[in-house]
Amino acid sequence: MPQRFFDAPAVRVWCGRALSALGRAREEIDAINVYPVADGDTGTNLYLTLESAAAAVEAVFSGHEAGRTGTAPSLAEAIRAMAHGALIGARGNSGTILAQLLRGMAQVLAAEERGERDTGGPGLRRALRHAADSARQAVAHPVEGTVLTVASAAADAAGRVEGGCDAVARAAYEGARTALAATPGQLPALERAGVVDAGGHGLVTVLGALVETLTGETAPALPAEAEVEHARVPEEAAESADAGECPPGEGGPAFEVIYLLEAGEPAVARLRRRLDALGDSLVVVGGDGLWNVHVHVDDAGAAVEAGVEAGRPYRIRITHFGQGDAHTGGAGRPPRERVQRAVVAVVPGEGLAGLCAEAGATTVLARPGEPPASAELAEAVRRAHAREVVLLPNDAELRQTAAAAADQARQAGVRVALIPTRSAVQGIAALAVHEPGRRFDEDVVAMTSAAGATRYAEVTVAERQSWTTAGICQAGDVLGLVDGDVAVIGSDVAATARAVLDRMLAAGGELVTLVLGDDAPEDIADRLRTRVREAYLAVDTVVYRGGRQGSLLLIGVE
C-alpha cells in the first residue's frame, strides 16, 4: 500500500525499497563507474551506505516496539536515524554524497514536523532543495555531470509542482531521470565511455523507490542505453557548468582515505583546507560534532594525521588503488582489471594504517573495544580488488572473524590465505617480506615464517584489579605482556618496557620494532634504543608512530 504522506513508516518503507532497488542495480552501476575513479564500486558503495541507513531506521522501530509504548517513532526520529546510519556507514565518494543528501533532507523534515499532513508536499520540496544544496557545499570542487547535477535537477523539478508528497516525489524523479540522461554531454569522461554518471544513476534509483513508497506505483524505467549514449545538454549549459575538478588522468592519487571524525566545525574547516592541498575528490559531510571524511591522496598517512590534528578519527579505511589501474585516462577505458595479489591488514592505530597502506596493503582500523566484524573484513578484501589476497588479522581474538571473512571472499572467487598474526608487529614483519611477484604459496610461506619468527609484546595500563600470570595487578599498574601473557607488573612505563625488552632479547634477536602509542612517554623510544645499543650488540631498532592504538607501546623482536 502507498504511504500517503511522509512520516516515519514511509521512511522505513523507503529505506527497504531503496535498498532492494540498489541491490538489483548495483552490478549495473558498478559497470558504468568511470568518474572520478574507474574502480567499479559505485553501486556497491551506495548499497552499503543505504544498508547502514536502513539498519539504523530498523533499530529505532525495534526500540519503540521493545518499549511497548504502542507508538511508532516520529518522523524526526526515523529520518535522523536514516541520515545518521548513512553517515557512519558511507562508502566511497558516492556513498558520502548520498549520506549528505539524506542529512540535508533530515535537517528540514525533522525541524518542520508538526503532525500536519497537508504540509507534506511543501516540506518534501524544501527537504529536496536543502539536500541538493548541502551536498554541493560538502564537495570541495563540485563538478557538473555528476550526482550533484542530478540532485539539483530533482530539487528544481520538485520546486515547480504543487500538491502532496506523491506529486513532489514524481516530479523529483522525472527531473533527476532527465538530468541523468544528459550527464554524458557535461562530463568528457562519461562521453568517452558512452555511459551516464554512476552516482547519479544510484540517486535516481533511490528516488524511484521514494515514488513507489509514496504512490504505490513503479517509477518509469531509466532511459534505454542507446538513448543515454546520445543524450546531450545544450552547448550553453555545458559551457556554464562548473569546471571544478577535471577527470583525473594517469598518475592520479594512489589512495582513497575515508574515516569518521569527531571534531568541532572550526577544526573541520582547517581540515578541509589541508586535505584539499593534499589530494582531490574531497568530500566532508556531517555536523554536530560527527563527520565523514573522504579524499583521494598520494600520502595516506598525512591524510590520517590531518584528521588526528582535527579531532578523533576512527573507522579508518585506506584503499590502495594500484599502479596504473585506478584512474581513467583514455577514451572508452574499461573498468580496471583485478590485480593479481593484495594484502589486507587489520591495524590498531592511524600511524600503522598509513604505514601499511604506503606498503601497498588495504587496511582496516581496529580500535580498542571496536573490533571489525567479518563483513567489514570481507568488504576490505573486496576493495583490494585482487585475485589473490593475504589476510593479516594482527590480533589473536580476530582469528575466527578473519576466517569467516576469508570464507565469504572465497565464495566470491577470491583466493585467500589467512596468516594467523597475533600482533601488529607480526603483521609488519610479514608485510616486509611480501613479494607480489612470487608464486602465491611461496609468498604466503615467507610471510608466515617472518610473522612466526617475531615475538611480540605490549606495554599497557591496567584498568581494574585482576589476577594475572604475574600476580595480582591494581588499576593504574603498568603491565608488560609477552606473547599475550602478563610477564611484568610495574609502576613506571619506561622501567616496565625495559624489563619486557630484556626478557625478550634474552632469547636472542636481530631486530627490535617499537610502535609508540599517542600516550607513550616522549623519551621512551630514545631510552629503549639506548638500552639495545649498549647491551645487545648487532641488534637494530626501528621506531614507528602508531597513533591511538590502545597500548602505550608495542614491541616486536625478530
Side-chain angles (χ1 to χ4, degrees), residues 274-297:
R274 181 166 177 189
L275 292 180
D276 194 25
L278 284 175
D280 60 32
S281 297
L282 173 61
V283 186
V284 181
V285 304
D288 301 321
L290 181 62
W291 310 81
N292 192 304
V293 179
H294 170 282
V295 68
H296 295 171
V297 293

Side-chain angles (χ1 to χ4, degrees), residues 204-420:
V204 172
T205 301
V206 172
L207 291 174
L210 182 61
V211 171
E212 187 176 352
T213 298
L214 295 174
T215 68
E217 303 166 2
T218 301
L222 291 174
E225 183 177 351
E227 294 178 276
V228 166
E229 289 186 6
H230 298 289
R232 295 292 180 267
V233 291
E235 286 185 16
E236 60 271 18
E239 289 172 359
S240 66
D242 183 350
E245 288 177 3
C246 295
E250 298 296 341
F255 301 101
E256 178 184 59
V257 180
I258 305 173
Y259 50 80
L260 291 177
L261 177 71
E262 293 178 356
E265 291 194 13
V268 170
R270 293 190 295 272
L271 175 66
R272 288 178 191 269
R273 292 192 292 271
R274 181 166 177 189
L275 292 180
D276 194 25
L278 284 175
D280 60 32
S281 297
L282 173 61
V283 186
V284 181
V285 304
D288 301 321
L290 181 62
W291 310 81
N292 192 304
V293 179
H294 170 282
V295 68
H296 295 171
V297 293
D298 279 323
D299 190 343
V304 175
E305 287 170 9
V308 173
E309 291 179 8
R312 176 184 176 254
Y314 61 105
R315 292 197 185 179
I316 299 170
R317 296 190 294 275
I318 301 175
T319 301
H320 183 254
F321 287 130
Q323 294 241 344
D325 63 357
H327 295 79
T328 129
R333 182 167 184 171
R336 67 181 173 117
E337 292 291 327
R338 287 181 179 272
V339 297
Q340 183 60 32
R341 190 173 309 156
V343 176
V344 172
V346 180
V347 291
E350 303 89 349
L352 288 184
L355 174 71
C356 292
E358 287 168 8
T362 295
T363 62
V364 178
L365 191 72
R367 287 226 174 255
E370 299 177 9
S374 61
E376 189 172 356
L377 295 186
E379 168 63 11
V381 172
R382 187 202 64 78
R383 285 189 289 120
H385 206 63
R387 298 182 183 89
E388 302 168 338
V389 171
V390 180
L391 183 55
L392 305 174
N394 296 335
D395 185 333
E397 295 184 1
L398 285 178
R399 175 87 180 265
Q400 295 303 318
T401 300
D407 286 342
Q408 292 180 49
R410 291 183 187 114
Q411 292 172 13
V414 181
R415 187 180 185 189
V416 182
L418 171 60
I419 298 179

